[in-house]
Each structure stands twice: as C-alpha cells, then as structure tokens.
Amino acid sequence: MQFSFRMPVAVQILLCIAKFDGVFKMTSTFLASSVNVNPVIIRKTLGQLKAAGLVEVAAGVGGAKLLRPPQDITLREVFQAVEEDVDLFHIQENPNPQCPVGRNIQQVLGARLSVVKDNMLADFARVTLADLLADIDSAEQKHC
Amino acid sequence: MQFSFRMPVAVQILLCIAKFDGVFKMTSTFLASSVNVNPVIIRKTLGQLKAAGLVEVAAGVGGAKLLRPPQDITLREVFQAVEEDVDLFHIQENPNPQCPVGRNIQQVLGARLSVVKDNMLADFARVTLADLLADIDSAEQKHC
DNA sequence: GCTCATTGTGATACATGGTATTACAATGAG
DNA sequence: CTCATTGTAATACCATGTATCACAATGAGC
C-alpha cells in the first residue's frame, strides 16, 4: 500500500510557487516541467488546492499564487486538500456477528487505528512549506 | 488512499486464534466465516503470518496456533507481516534537475515523510493483541 | 496403506483507483 | 479580437486488491 503521488506533487507545486513568485509566471506547463508530470495533472491538483483556499489561479491569463505565507501552510492542509477524507484503514464491513471477535472488531480496532491516523495528521501539521523551503536552501548550499 | 483489508483481516485471524485456541480447530473455513471473506484469503494471510513467525499452521490436518503469547505480538509486526515494505509515500521519481525545487524534493520531503512513517510504526508497536482482546472483553460486557 | 478434510498455490476474473493524454470550450489581459 | 491558458470531460492503460475455482500435497486417524 502506498499513498498516491498527489500529495508530493501538490507540495512541489506549492514550493515552486513560493520560490518563483514574481520571477516566472506559474503556469501549469511550467509547473509540469518541474514536477515532470502532465500539465493536466497539475491543473487538477491546482484545482484541489484552490478549493482548499491555499492558492488562487488566474483563469485565462494563467498563473498561480499562494493565498497565505509559506509558514502558515502545513503539510496537513496540503494532504487533506488532495486526498479523499476516507478512513485511512479499511475494516471488513460484514464480520460475523455470531463471533465475539467479529462483532467487536470494527469498534475495537477502529478506535486504535483512528488514533494512528490522528497522530499522522498531527505530524503533518508540524511541517510547514517554510520548513521545506529552508530544507531546500540548505540542501542547495551543500551542493555548491 | 486506503490501506487494504489485509492488516485488519490478519488481526481478526490472530484474535480468533487467541480466543478460541483449544476450543475449536482454527481452520481457514472457520476463520473465513468469522471474518466473512473467502477461505483462500485466510490461507494466504495465514501464510504471511506464518512466514513472519507469528503462527504455525498444521498442513494436512488443519488448524493454526499462535507461536507467541498475545501480549508479545504487536500491531506493528502484524502490519509488517502483511503489507509490502515499500515506502508509504511515493515521491515523483524524475523531477526536473534544472529546478532547485525539483532536484531536492525527494531528499527534503522524503526525510519528513519517513519520520511520519516511523511514528506510525511506533504507534502500531504500542498496541498488542492482548490489548485488543481486553478491549473486546470489555465491549462484550457492556452488551450484556 | 487408505481415506478425507485441509492446506498451499496457481490461474483467472473483476472492480477500483491512479496516472497519462487528447481534445475543446471558456476565460480574460493586452 | 487574439491567443496563451485554464477547467474539464472523455478515454486509455496499468497496477493492485479481492473473490473464486481448481487441484496437488499433506498428514492424522482408522
């Protein structure tokens, strides 16, 4: 099991916008060449980020901008913008009610797993785009 | 994105074995009727649990047993027994090396996400089969 | 040694979801 | 009005998860 590309793609889009705002126009074609995916994927992802209130996209003329400063945007928001909010885990829906394990598994295991999911979201909430931009800058310096 | 049924199914199998050991013979057909999936799914899952050293399965005559007490088996082991150990997250493999974001995204975001994954596994490691058995018993008492 | 319920496993089928791509109407600055 | 661009529908393809059938191998008990 793996998460899809979507969240990493969304993060890369947002980082590019943050880093190149005012320098280049952030069109879906430009972003597509940084991420190396099809421009339509970028446009769909930008649509989700727009719906989440993270960016604005200029229809017609093109170009995307952040609506909030990078230090105010967390991975949690990005994740929730692009991933369906279904349960992360998936417990068999029709266990046997005759069996004491079957008739309680959903409640018992579900409670444990929802803690795990909450912790994951809390971890995401601790990382901002500004953190990642700083990480990138320090990685760049090491290369030079 | 969702995890598959596999881990919850494996947990339910192990709980049934723990609860009914010595009372019923734990064949794949019996377990399939508690979990309500095809017996072949049970046999495949038991095969993974056997490979992980959690259970033994009597070929021929049938029946599965735990190889360790429930308080020594954590959700982490169960999870890792049945889920491929690929990266939980999936970062675009060929970002544009010309772009400062593209050429660092894997390292930078990958480092952050591997922390999230480690935390998730640590959460799993804190829950044992014995905990779940106790949860089930207390849920059963409330129903009576 | 035979029987028979059971396991282990390969093959197949099907549904779902992610990704890539084409096409085109709608948009809006210049 | 023009034209680069966005938004979106349609389509295709592949990978993965799940269900199911079939059958050889197993091994306890008679």
Side-chain angles (χ1 to χ4, degrees):
Chain A
M1 204 294 315
Q2 279 194 310
F3 284 94
S4 70
F5 283 130
R6 283 204 297 270
M7 193 264 254
V9 166
V11 169
Q12 193 170 348
I13 288 172
L14 293 169
L15 292 175
C16 282
I17 297 175
K19 199 157 182 69
F20 297 128
D21 185 39
V23 184
F24 301 109
K25 187 165 72 165
M26 290 294 110
T27 67
S28 62
T29 306
F30 181 98
L31 290 165
S33 86
S34 167
V35 183
N36 195 25
V37 295
N38 194 285
V40 176
I41 304 289
I42 300 289
R43 296 207 280 270
K44 282 182 181 164
T45 305
L46 274 175
Q48 293 178 300
L49 295 173
K50 187 169 68 171
L54 299 180
V55 301
E56 63 182 355
V57 181
V61 62
K65 290 189 185 306
L66 295 189
L67 285 175
R68 283 194 265 146
Q71 62 269 25
D72 284 357
I73 300 178
T74 68
L75 283 193
R76 174 175 179 147
E77 287 173 282
V78 180
F79 178 82
Q80 292 184 317
V82 298
E83 291 282 348
E84 311 274 323
D85 188 25
V86 289
D87 282 343
L88 184 54
F89 300 94
H90 211 40
I91 304 179
Q92 169 59 29
E93 285 158 19
N94 303 304
N96 190 337
Q98 313 276 30
C99 169
V101 176
R103 69 171 163 258
N104 291 298
I105 186 78
Q106 296 191 54
Q107 181 198 332
V108 164
L109 187 55
R112 299 287 185 168
L113 294 181
S114 86
V115 170
V116 175
K117 182 187 176 180
D118 290 346
N119 287 346
M120 189 186 77
L121 291 176
D123 280 344
F124 282 154
R126 275 182 216 108
V127 182
T128 69
L129 288 188
D131 294 331
L132 294 172
L133 287 169
D135 289 350
I136 286 175
D137 286 343
S138 82
E140 280 289 291
Q141 282 177 4
K142 281 185 197 159
H143 282 255
C144 300
Chain B
M1 204 292 314
Q2 279 193 309
F3 285 93
S4 70
F5 283 129
R6 283 204 298 270
M7 193 265 254
V9 166
V11 169
Q12 194 170 347
I13 289 172
L14 293 168
L15 291 175
C16 283
I17 297 175
K19 201 159 182 64
F20 298 126
D21 185 38
V23 183
F24 301 108
K25 187 164 74 166
M26 291 293 112
T27 66
S28 60
T29 306
F30 181 99
L31 290 165
S33 86
S34 168
V35 184
N36 196 25
V37 296
N38 194 284
V40 176
I41 305 290
I42 300 289
R43 296 207 281 271
K44 283 182 180 165
T45 305
L46 274 175
Q48 294 177 301
L49 295 173
K50 187 169 68 170
L54 300 180
V55 301
E56 62 181 355
V57 182
V61 63
K65 290 189 183 310
L66 295 189
L67 284 176
R68 284 195 264 146
Q71 62 269 25
D72 285 356
I73 298 179
T74 69
L75 284 193
R76 175 175 179 146
E77 287 172 282
V78 180
F79 178 81
Q80 291 185 315
V82 298
E83 292 282 347
E84 312 273 324
D85 187 27
V86 289
D87 281 343
L88 185 54
F89 299 95
H90 210 42
I91 305 178
Q92 169 59 29
E93 285 159 19
N94 303 303
N96 189 338
Q98 313 275 29
C99 168
V101 176
R103 71 171 162 256
N104 291 299
I105 187 76
Q106 295 192 55
Q107 182 198 331
V108 164
L109 187 56
R112 299 285 185 170
L113 295 181
S114 85
V115 170
V116 175
K117 182 187 177 182
D118 289 346
N119 287 345
M120 189 185 79
L121 291 177
D123 280 345
F124 283 154
R126 274 181 218 110
V127 182
T128 69
L129 288 188
D131 295 332
L132 294 172
L133 287 168
D135 289 350
I136 286 176
D137 286 343
S138 82
E140 280 289 291
Q141 281 177 5
K142 281 184 196 159
H143 281 256
C144 300

